[in-house]
Amino acid sequence: MSGLCGWLGDGDVSAISAMAAPLSRLDQAPLQWRTGEKGTVAVAAGDGASHLYQQDGLLIALWGHPMLDDSALNVAQRLAPVWLARGAAACAALSGEFALAVVDGFSGQLLLAVDRAGSYPLSHASNAQGVFFASSNDAMLAHPAVRGALDPQALYHYLFFHMVPAPETPWLGWQRLLPGEYLQVRAGKQCKGSYWSLAFQEKTIATFASRQQAFLRTLHLAVESSLGDAAATTGAFLSGGTDSSTLAAIVRQVTGSGARAYSIGF
């Protein structure tokens, strides 16, 4: 399962173990955590997906496969001076798949963000004891200071839409970040913003054939990048539609062997 969790505030440090436990319940992902003057962060993830940095009251936690300046090396450490210089705008310097948490003990600030596609979820809730965040509902509920009351409107949305539209969550008072969105907490005030938005160019001289080839090339590179060194242990979910079938076919092209595919019936 893996994930990210923590809080901004003077919470009991021992609560981080309870919050992080659900994150590694299914895959037994190793846990790393750090605590500072103003908060605590933890990441439960396998090799290459956990990034933590702590220096002089600054905590940076990244879950996923982020890149900074097209490099995946020491991303959390290299992000520190970018945060100090640019604040929330530092999110725009990141690429790849990630969920981010920055707890700045000196300024008392918190920054949460997710990647441009919202590949990694991150929810947040606040009360008089602090601001809490987690990538799973179970992890959030595990903190004793977080109230877990079902939101009646969210229940209606689930029954009507078969989902709870973001940024709402099933829980009253909780919200989750949208793709390319950040939450900054400073001096007790919360501010949300988008560090990236999709640009659409309506007028172009490119032909359909050239667009087709460009799309297939981009899709091939995306699958190849996502597989990384874990191609042998990566599976593909077949929903019965063309999207998942296409991805499974590209996995075969990239690896030279059939994808480890599965479906779910109910």
Side-chain angles (χ1 to χ4, degrees), residues 77-88:
Q77 180 179 347
R78 291 190 295 119
L79 184 63
V82 183
W83 156 256
L84 294 174
R86 300 171 57 185

Side-chain angles (χ1 to χ4, degrees), residues 15-221:
I16 195 64
S17 297
M19 285 189 78
L23 300 179
S24 57
R25 182 177 65 244
L26 300 179
D27 58 5
Q28 304 302 311
L31 170 67
Q32 299 184 69
W33 63 277
R34 301 287 187 275
T35 186
E37 299 176 5
K38 297 294 183 179
T40 301
V41 295
V43 182
D47 293 340
S50 178
H51 314 267
L52 281 169
Y53 176 74
Q54 181 176 15
Q55 183 71 35
D56 298 331
L58 180 64
L59 301 176
I60 297 180
L62 280 154
W63 167 44
H65 302 279
M67 292 192 296
L68 181 63
D69 296 331
D70 297 324
S71 172
L73 295 175
N74 301 320
V75 175
Q77 180 179 347
R78 291 190 295 119
L79 184 63
V82 183
W83 156 256
L84 294 174
R86 300 171 57 185
C91 300
L94 293 169
S95 60
E97 303 172 335
F98 66 85
L100 165 70
V102 177
V103 178
D104 192 329
F106 283 119
S107 62
Q109 293 188 71
L110 170 69
L111 177 70
L112 304 177
V114 294
D115 62 66
R116 292 162 170 79
S119 306
Y120 286 75
L122 193 58
S123 298
H124 57 91
S126 59
N127 55 37
Q129 299 185 50
V131 181
F132 306 87
F133 54 90
S135 55
S136 83
N137 292 337
D138 287 344
M140 188 85 86
L141 289 168
H143 196 287
V146 176
R147 177 171 176 257
L150 188 65
D151 187 346
Q153 185 63 48
L155 178 59
Y156 172 82
H157 284 158
Y158 181 77
L159 295 175
F160 190 82
F161 297 116
H162 302 285
M163 60 173 290
V164 180
E168 303 304 321
T169 73
W171 308 100
L172 195 63
W174 299 17
Q175 287 197 326
R176 66 178 182 268
L177 294 178
L178 298 172
E181 187 176 53
Y182 68 85
L183 170 72
Q184 185 175 20
V185 181
R186 180 169 48 189
K189 296 182 179 181
Q190 298 187 14
C191 175
K192 272 189 176 182
S194 297
Y195 67 88
W196 179 86
S197 59
L198 183 64
F200 176 71
Q201 298 178 351
E202 185 174 2
K203 296 182 179 180
T204 177
I205 60 174
T207 64
F208 175 79
S210 63
R211 293 178 186 176
Q212 183 184 46
Q213 291 303 314
F215 173 75
L216 291 175
R217 184 166 55 253
T218 302
L219 193 58
H220 190 282
L221 289 174

